[in-house]
Amino acid sequence: MSRTTPSRALLALCAAGALALSGCTAVDETPDEPAAPTQDDAADDAAEDTDDTAADTAQDTGDAADETGSGGDQAVGEVTIGDGVTEEACPDGVNPDNGCIYLGVLSDLTEGPFAALAVPITDAQRAYWQMVNEDGGIAGYDVDIDTYTRDTKYQPAEHAAAYQQIEPNILAIAQSLGTVNTESVLGDMDANDIVAVPASWWSGYNFSENDSGLILENGYSYCVEAMSGLDWFVENHGEVQSVAAVGYPGDYGGDSAAGVGQWAEVNGVEDVTVVPTGPNQVTGTQDAVVSAVAAASPDVVVLAVGPAETAEIVGKLAAGGFQGRFVGSLPTWNPALLQSGAADALVGLYNHLAPSEQWDGTSEGVAAMKESLNGEEPANGGYIIGWMMSYPMHAVLEQAAENGELTREGVRAAVDGLEVDFAGMAETIVYGGEGKEVVPSGVVVSTPNPDAPLGVESAGGWFEGPTFDEVDYTEACSATS
């Protein structure tokens, strides 16, 4: 078993504030194109078509062997390199004498439902790898995530097309946003030994029968989050006799609702209401949810929706005299909600759940993250997610290099038994296990506060309740659709 943490030199560099970063997210469709807009102007560019022409795609794939070593593995010094790794320096690389490791990013960067979160996720990953490169890179190689970043608009077909375009040129995938999107290419990833870090938290990733050991989870699953969140609620707000689960069906809301159901079974709560819904782009409003929850009148509502739906549901129910409270999954919060008409209701009735420390955390990981922005706050908590989810890829690349195999097969082999401590900002994970062997259950609960960083104040440190130890977590809590 290996244990991989950031080097002392890397952390010292962060503490010294010596890192200067550009503040834009790359959505390059070819290596020569300029970086895509940051979150500030992404909305203005949402209507632009960022897809490659057929000629661009042919050039990318046809030139893959020349650009990224696709012609087969080759020994360079004591490290064997293969697809997605070159002896030539990265474009705009930090260290001109280093080679280059190319990682892919498949995200929702313009017009999809999670773009507001995904843009800062990607910005944080760019900042993280810039920090690594400033510290010398990995085994004589800088890491590039800009060249093969693609906007998938949170559409499985777009995701699959972008994956096929970048696959010949990358070593691994630094971000694959969306469970269904990732599932659409997982078979090909398996055939080509491509490891990925997901920007989603489906419970199926905790079992190799679903992810073939290729997915580097970060934090708990939505299913476990619901259990731990309800345990926290009982400890802090009293006994629960009725509960409602509101969420998007499938890997997100469906997984969360399954966790609510398992929690209720363990804790003897028979009054459980499940209310499926969709994003407002699909449903128009959340009026049907508001009516269903008002009729059920539960003690607590577990939300697994987007920020806009969270504000509408909480605000309308509070205005109607609802007496219960809300706990919201990781993607339910955005500090912009404190500028909405639901702000008072959210401050009074809602708590946010997260698998990592927030901006007010005290770990080395949080300190390094803050230094990457020179102490300035990001637009929202997506930046925290992006920083946290970079640690597993960093660890597995370092382990593969230590093993002398910076190849796809070498990276895949390095996953089994890999221990990652996230520099303290998230709970340690040992990869290669099944179910409870790999998934943590600790949750950081926060309360909205207009005066707090990113609009939330942590209610305490890690909370781990008793329910997860009692459930039979031997398969995915829900299907992906």
Side-chain angles (χ1 to χ4, degrees):
M1 181 181 298
S2 64
R3 180 179 181 84
T4 308
T5 59
S7 67
R8 293 182 180 178
L10 185 151
L11 293 172
L13 176 65
C14 295
L19 186 59
L21 300 174
S22 59
C24 59
T25 296
V27 192
D28 294 345
E29 292 303 310
T30 64
D32 295 329
E33 289 184 6
T38 61
Q39 188 168 1
D40 292 335
D41 51 15
D44 294 336
D45 295 338
E48 292 185 6
D49 181 8
T50 58
D51 294 338
D52 281 342
T53 62
D56 293 331
T57 302
Q59 180 176 350
D60 271 349
T61 55
D63 292 345
D66 293 334
E67 293 181 359
T68 59
S70 296
D73 297 349
Q74 55 181 309
V76 179
E78 297 181 356
V79 178
T80 299
I81 63 173
D83 295 344
V85 186
T86 66
E87 294 181 69
E88 293 74 32
C90 297
D92 303 317
V94 172
N95 301 291
D97 294 331
N98 278 2
C100 191
I101 297 170
Y102 290 93
L103 302 178
V105 170
L106 300 171
S107 194
D108 177 12
L109 299 172
T110 55
E111 61 191 56
F114 291 105
L117 195 66
V119 169
I121 286 175
T122 309
D123 283 341
Q125 291 191 290
R126 295 183 67 245
Y128 183 95
W129 292 111
Q130 178 80 357
M131 178 183 69
V132 171
N133 293 340
E134 290 282 354
D135 194 44
I138 296 175
Y141 295 87
D142 282 2
V143 177
D144 176 294
I145 71 164
D146 289 346
T147 301
Y148 298 109
T149 286
R150 297 293 183 269
D151 176 23
T152 71
K153 305 178 179 67
Y154 203 71
Q155 295 293 327
E158 297 264 5
H159 193 100
Y163 166 83
Q164 292 296 337
Q165 183 197 84
I166 70 173
E167 181 274 322
N169 308 310
I170 59 172
L171 176 61
I173 297 175
Q175 180 196 152
S176 183
L177 190 140
T179 305
V180 175
N181 299 334
T182 303
E183 291 286 292
S184 72
V185 297
L186 192 56
D188 193 87
M189 289 167 56
D190 186 20
N192 288 286
D193 296 312
I194 294 182
V195 170
V197 180
S200 62
W201 292 267
W202 177 48
S203 61
Y205 289 149
N206 303 147
F207 303 93
S208 58
E209 65 177 319
N210 299 306
D211 73 354
S212 302
L214 295 168
I215 299 298
L216 295 171
E217 306 97 306
N218 47 98
Y220 49 50
S221 66
Y222 298 122
C223 180
V224 174
E225 176 188 63
M227 299 180 212
S228 295
L230 286 168
D231 280 342
W232 177 89
F233 185 91
V234 169
E235 185 166 306
N236 289 272
H237 291 287
E239 182 181 358
V240 170
Q241 296 181 336
S242 58
V243 59
V246 176
Y248 304 158
D251 63 286
Y252 176 28
D255 212 55
S256 178
V260 171
Q262 292 188 44
W263 180 89
E265 183 176 353
V266 167
N267 291 278
V269 176
E270 297 182 357
D271 189 351
V272 178
T273 302
V274 177
V275 185
T277 189
N280 281 342
Q281 294 98 315
V282 176
T283 63
T285 72
Q286 297 299 310
D287 288 344
V289 171
V290 172
S291 296
V293 173
S297 191
D299 297 321
V300 58
V301 181
V302 179
L303 296 171
V305 291
E309 294 78 41
T310 294
E312 182 180 349
I313 292 166
V314 174
K316 286 183 175 179
L317 280 166
F322 178 66
Q323 298 299 304
R325 291 187 60 88
F326 304 84
V327 292
S329 180
L330 175 63
T332 60
W333 179 250
N334 188 315
L337 298 188
L338 291 174
Q339 307 303 315
S340 73
D344 289 344
L346 289 162
V347 170
L349 300 175
Y350 164 91
N351 290 103
H352 179 244
L353 309 176
S356 71
E357 289 184 331
Q358 297 301 284
W359 199 256
D360 59 3
T362 59
S363 67
E364 290 181 339
V366 169
M369 175 180 66
K370 289 179 177 179
E371 286 295 334
S372 75
L373 289 176
N374 296 318
E376 296 292 326
E377 292 179 28
N380 60 51
Y383 200 91
I384 301 172
I385 295 169
W387 193 270
M388 171 187 68
M389 65 188 286
S390 298
Y391 284 103
M393 183 59 71
H394 186 184
V396 77
L397 293 179
E398 284 193 333
Q399 186 59 56
E402 183 178 326
N403 295 343
E405 287 286 338
L406 268 176
T407 63
R408 291 176 177 179
E409 297 85 351
V411 172
R412 185 173 190 171
V415 172
D416 191 17
L418 183 75
E419 183 175 345
V420 181
D421 68 3
F422 297 87
M425 72 183 297
E427 289 191 295
T428 296
I429 293 178
V430 180
Y431 294 94
E434 299 288 331
K436 289 185 177 181
E437 296 172 344
V438 67
V439 64
S441 62
V443 62
V444 173
V445 182
S446 299
T447 301
N449 180 346
D451 297 323
L454 300 184
V456 287
E457 181 178 8
S458 298
W462 295 101
F463 176 85
E464 296 195 30
T467 298
F468 184 56
D469 289 338
E470 300 184 41
V471 300
D472 182 22
Y473 197 75
T474 56
E475 62 182 0
C477 296
S478 72
T480 57
S481 60

